[in-house]
Amino acid sequence: MMLYFMLSFTLMLFTALWMLLLGKKFSYRDAAGVEIPFSILDLQFPSSEQELCNIMKGLSPVARKALRAHLWVDFLFMAGFYPSIAILCIIVGYKTDVGQYFFWLLAALQLAAWLFDILENGYCLRKLRKPVVAPTNNAFRSYSFFVYAKFALCLAGGLSVPALFYCWITGDFETGSLLYGGIIVAEILIALWIKAKA
């Protein structure tokens, strides 16, 4: 199980680094012609569909290319992120009695979070191609629901992290997992070094 977690964590970590570097190119021109930097969170939590479209319309060719690449790399990130959370939940589930099914349920719900994230990215890619406000608000409302539901399910799955840390503190872990833990720490240090150099 730890091997699968390490592989998915590695994919998550280095695609997150890739997206972080792409995000440095994010900026758009507003109606007054002022260059404004933005983050992916600005796209996920816009105040309205019009604001989202304004960002998309004001993108320079470089920023547009970076955003498109970011959204496609995000699909790879998802393939590492959601399985990582699910695996942690499963591991914690095996180590608990009363909470076993609760953590297994949280693991299963990561599939729904993954689906919401895919639908969210699909919406953004469509808006990037054609940044116009739709006649009805239904698609934007669905998009907002996908974003909030995804984050809620991820945070719920994140309950496995302090529970797993408690297991480590109390010595309830397999000694073989120490190797994987060391590799993960080394990967994090490498990613931080790459980020600092970029």
Side-chain angles (χ1 to χ4, degrees):
M1 191 67 75
M2 279 302 295
L3 174 61
Y4 295 123
F5 174 73
M6 188 194 73
L7 293 173
S8 60
F9 181 84
T10 301
L11 178 61
M12 175 191 73
L13 181 64
F14 288 100
T15 50
L17 180 61
W18 190 357
M19 289 191 296
L20 186 67
L21 297 176
L22 287 168
K24 290 184 176 182
K25 300 175 182 177
F26 288 179
S27 66
Y28 73 99
R29 288 191 181 277
D30 64 7
V34 178
E35 194 81 13
I36 301 173
F38 70 95
S39 72
I40 199 69
L41 289 176
D42 293 316
L43 295 183
Q44 292 177 322
F45 299 101
S47 59
S48 65
E49 186 178 8
Q50 184 65 63
E51 181 186 353
L52 180 65
C53 290
N54 289 343
I55 293 174
M56 299 290 195
K57 287 177 183 176
L59 294 172
S60 67
V62 172
R64 182 175 298 277
K65 184 178 179 181
L67 178 57
R68 184 179 291 109
H70 187 287
L71 291 170
W72 283 109
V73 172
D74 193 25
F75 287 110
L76 285 175
F77 172 79
M78 293 177 209
F81 181 68
Y82 296 105
S84 293
I85 295 177
I87 290 169
L88 287 179
C89 289
I90 291 169
I91 291 172
V92 172
Y94 277 124
K95 293 182 179 296
T96 58
D97 295 323
V98 179
Q100 182 178 26
Y101 295 109
F102 171 73
F103 282 104
W104 286 0
L105 174 63
L106 290 180
L109 287 174
Q110 297 314 304
L111 289 173
W114 194 347
L115 175 62
F116 292 149
D117 210 348
I118 289 171
L119 294 171
E120 173 196 325
N121 266 27
Y123 179 87
C124 285
L125 285 166
R126 287 193 300 275
K127 282 296 179 187
L128 190 58
R129 284 194 301 271
K130 192 176 180 182
V132 293
V133 177
T136 64
N137 208 24
N138 294 339
F140 181 72
R141 284 179 183 168
S142 296
Y143 169 72
S144 297
F145 169 77
F146 297 149
V147 172
Y148 283 103
K150 171 194 77 172
F151 277 108
L153 292 174
C154 290
L155 289 172
L159 291 173
S160 62
V161 175
L164 193 63
F165 184 70
Y166 173 78
C167 292
W168 275 68
I169 292 295
T170 58
D172 185 14
F173 62 90
E174 296 178 9
T175 54
S177 65
L178 289 173
L179 171 63
Y180 297 113
I183 293 172
I184 288 169
V185 169
E187 288 179 345
I188 292 172
L189 292 174
I190 291 169
L192 290 172
W193 179 80
I194 293 171
K195 179 181 177 293
K197 292 290 184 182

